[in-house]
Amino acid sequence: MTPSEVRDLFPILQERAYLFSGGMAPASAPMLTAVEHHLAALAHRTGDLYPSFMDETRALRERLAALMGADAEEIVVNDSTSAGSSLAVSLVAPKPGGNVVFDGFPYPSSVYPWMLPPRDRLERRFVEPREGLIHLEDMERAIDDNTVAVSVSHVTPAQGFRHDLTALAEIVHAHGALLLVDGAQSAGALNIDLHATGVDFFATTAMKWLLGTAGVGYLYVAKRHLERQPPTAGWVSTTRTDMEQLRLLPNAERFQLGMPNLMGVAACLPGIEILLETGMAAVEAHVLDLTGYCIEGLQDRGITVRTSLDPSRRGGVIAAEIDEAEALQAFLTARGVDTYILRNLFRVDPHIFNNHTDIDRLLEGIDAFRASN
């Protein structure tokens, strides 16, 4: 499937230049059809949904695993990136005198779980950026043999900086620590092979670049960690053969409690299918082309862009410093161009369904805004 063919699947693009995939994906026509079918079943064939939900969830795990270089048995279906991040932290044992390392662009759900007992006694180390970048050698200096974990966002939401996960994992594992990754701004935008990266845990959400909906998230638990004891247990997490003894499943389902969001599962499958049919190498190339084109257009207008022009250091998130950013966003929205403001930064997040025309509409809108002030 080509980017133009994907574009035809999204009704919003007939009217608007939607440039905020890092916040929420617009609905595709296949998603709308899937939700309609689910609602029809819920209304008229309700009994069919209950026995089939395990198959639907399994299909979702299998497709996501195929998309991201993992095995289905390593995927937990939950409700959000934050849920996955918190679960991953709960699977890391603290130790006296230990520490956990973050970069200087942390996301709250990657940090706050470490502040709960018994992990609140771990030293928290933050590696600050230099010249707008997190340097691998600075991360390496902060990691030592007392480090229990390193927790980062693959692509940071406020700056659009991309970590080299493979290189970072090698450093982390050399000290016997674990690498926890928030992939909310990379999964579905970048070509990721989780097995090849060596990460231990990777949490993400369906509602952004994976072209799904809110209320569905995923946690990758590397196979070598599947025997870890979950903090909670429910009927899905067990073999359900003996009420006198807890027998946890040997795969990632041991970390799932009960029935997932069935409508969400139905809504999320089409988005992953679109990405699989397109191919993640093609998706990444298209996203990096659009972000590069946009960054150059912003810089040509004298706008300070926080995100690197180097494609190896960015994904689909562009962050810029623009005067009167809030007024600019409102102006663009009225002109049919959707963007975002995060932490006083103006953000543009193009995806596979966008094209240069969408970026041109954005840049023309910025010019018109400036001319009107």
Side-chain angles (χ1 to χ4, degrees):
M1 188 177 292
T2 66
S4 61
E5 290 172 332
V6 175
R7 184 179 179 85
D8 289 340
L9 298 176
F10 289 84
I12 193 173
L13 299 173
Q14 297 175 15
E15 303 172 357
R16 310 186 66 80
Y18 187 81
L19 295 166
F20 186 40
S21 288
M24 181 176 290
S28 66
M31 177 200 282
L32 295 173
T33 299
V35 171
E36 288 173 2
H37 287 169
H38 178 84
L39 289 173
L42 187 62
H44 303 290
R45 303 182 307 280
T46 313
D48 293 345
L49 295 176
Y50 192 88
S52 67
F53 91 86
M54 291 295 284
D55 292 336
E56 292 292 312
T57 307
R58 188 175 299 110
L60 185 62
R61 291 165 56 221
E62 289 173 351
R63 284 162 175 74
L64 183 71
L67 190 76
M68 300 189 62
D71 295 330
E73 65 177 316
E74 299 171 299
I75 305 295
V76 186
V77 177
N78 52 31
D79 61 18
S80 63
T81 305
S82 294
S85 296
S86 188
L87 174 57
V89 171
S90 74
L91 300 177
V92 180
K95 69 177 181 180
N99 64 76
V100 59
V101 177
F102 311 90
D103 65 30
F105 300 144
Y107 194 71
S109 58
S110 296
V111 178
Y112 291 156
W114 296 100
M115 299 180 182
L116 297 172
R119 295 165 189 83
D120 57 331
R121 295 186 180 182
L122 292 169
E123 177 191 358
R124 294 186 290 276
R125 299 177 178 177
F126 292 86
V127 177
E128 295 304 318
R130 288 187 288 115
E131 299 167 345
L133 303 174
I134 303 295
H135 293 268
L136 191 63
E137 58 267 28
D138 294 343
M139 294 292 293
E140 187 170 16
R141 276 192 289 270
I143 301 166
D144 58 32
D145 290 342
N146 287 321
T147 301
V148 299
V150 173
S151 182
V152 298
S153 292
H154 187 187
V155 173
T156 61
Q159 300 78 15
F161 170 79
R162 188 206 317 194
H163 279 281
D164 182 339
L165 293 183
T166 304
L168 183 58
E170 290 177 358
I171 295 169
V172 171
H173 293 158
H175 290 279
L178 302 176
L179 179 57
L180 285 67
V181 179
D182 179 325
Q185 296 299 341
S186 63
L190 299 178
N191 189 19
I192 301 169
D193 185 330
L194 290 172
H195 285 168
T197 64
V199 303
D200 297 284
F201 303 96
F202 186 99
T204 190
T205 177
M207 67 181 284
K208 302 179 187 292
W209 305 94
L210 286 168
L211 306 178
T213 189
V216 178
Y218 313 101
L219 175 66
Y220 162 80
V221 180
K223 196 172 300 183
R224 58 189 174 275
H225 300 304
L226 288 178
E227 294 184 357
R228 291 179 181 254
Q229 196 80 356
T232 55
W235 69 274
V236 172
S237 52
T238 70
T239 61
R240 304 183 293 281
T241 58
D242 185 357
M243 292 295 288
E244 301 296 326
Q245 186 174 3
L246 177 63
R247 298 181 185 274
L248 294 167
L249 292 171
N251 55 36
E253 285 182 299
R254 65 168 40 207
F255 304 113
Q256 185 176 330
L257 298 180
M259 185 178 290
N261 174 357
L262 297 187
M263 188 179 299
V265 169
C268 291
L269 277 165
I272 294 179
E273 293 286 1
I274 289 170
L275 295 171
L276 284 170
E277 289 181 31
T278 307
M280 285 310 303
V283 172
E284 176 174 324
H286 187 77
V287 167
L288 292 181
D289 171 69
L290 290 177
T291 52
Y293 181 71
C294 185
I295 290 171
E296 289 178 347
L298 293 172
Q299 290 177 335
D300 287 346
R301 288 160 173 77
I303 294 170
T304 300
V305 180
R306 289 279 191 91
T307 307
S308 175
L309 190 55
D310 180 352
S312 70
R313 294 179 179 269
R314 71 172 191 269
V317 174
I318 304 168
E321 297 177 1
I322 297 181
D323 293 336
E324 300 183 81
E326 187 172 344
L328 171 61
Q329 184 199 23
F331 182 85
L332 290 171
T333 299
R335 290 172 63 98
V337 179
D338 297 304
T339 57
Y340 189 62
I341 301 172
L342 178 64
R343 299 175 190 170
N344 300 317
L345 290 172
F346 181 78
R347 233 179 70 178
V348 183
D349 304 342
H351 203 353
I352 184 64
F353 49 70
N354 292 117
N355 57 24
H356 282 213
T357 301
D358 292 330
I359 304 299
D360 290 339
R361 283 183 65 180
L362 165 75
L363 298 174
E364 290 164 4
I366 291 173
D367 293 341
F369 175 77
R370 287 177 160 180
S372 66
N373 288 294

